[in-house]
Amino acid sequence: MLNNKQKNYLRGLAQSERALFQIGKDSLSDNLITTVANALKARELVKISVLKSNGDDLQELSFELARLTKSEVVQVIGRTIILYKQAKEPKILLP
């Protein structure tokens, strides 16, 4: 579980990153979940853009995606979701 200081640090790192994935009208497909999970293993921090064509509630969508990828929601801002999952050999050193 991330504390506020760690979340703030991860938000700062994610700010300069571009969104790697987009969630559209298909919402959470098996393919998307697998790809996001693989990206989390490789990068630890992933930014996802939710398109306007997706009518789902962003909070519910972010928590469901985090549950399915066994990651944590760092932030939901606008139509962007930031997820974090610590790797076995961490690349990002949290404060």
Side-chain angles (χ1 to χ4, degrees), residues 63-76:
F63 288 116
E64 184 65 12
L65 185 57
R67 185 184 67 79
L68 293 169
T69 58
K70 296 177 178 64
S71 61
E72 289 190 61
V73 177
V74 174
Q75 183 179 34
V76 177

Side-chain angles (χ1 to χ4, degrees), residues 45-90:
L45 190 65
V46 174
K47 198 171 185 180
I48 303 156
S49 171
V50 181
L51 302 177
K52 288 183 180 172
S53 61
N54 183 294
D56 297 342
D57 177 70
L58 274 125
Q59 292 293 333
E60 288 178 25
L61 184 70
S62 65
F63 288 116
E64 184 65 12
L65 185 57
R67 185 184 67 79
L68 293 169
T69 58
K70 296 177 178 64
S71 61
E72 289 190 61
V73 177
V74 174
Q75 183 179 34
V76 177
I77 185 166
R79 300 195 69 80
T80 304
I81 299 169
I82 302 169
L83 296 178
Y84 172 77
K85 182 177 180 182
Q86 187 171 20
K88 288 182 176 118
E89 294 178 23

Side-chain angles (χ1 to χ4, degrees), residues 28-44:
L28 297 178
S29 65
D30 291 341
N31 186 31
L32 176 77
I33 293 164
T34 305
T35 327
V36 170
N38 290 338
L40 282 164
K41 282 180 192 167
R43 304 185 67 171
E44 293 184 307

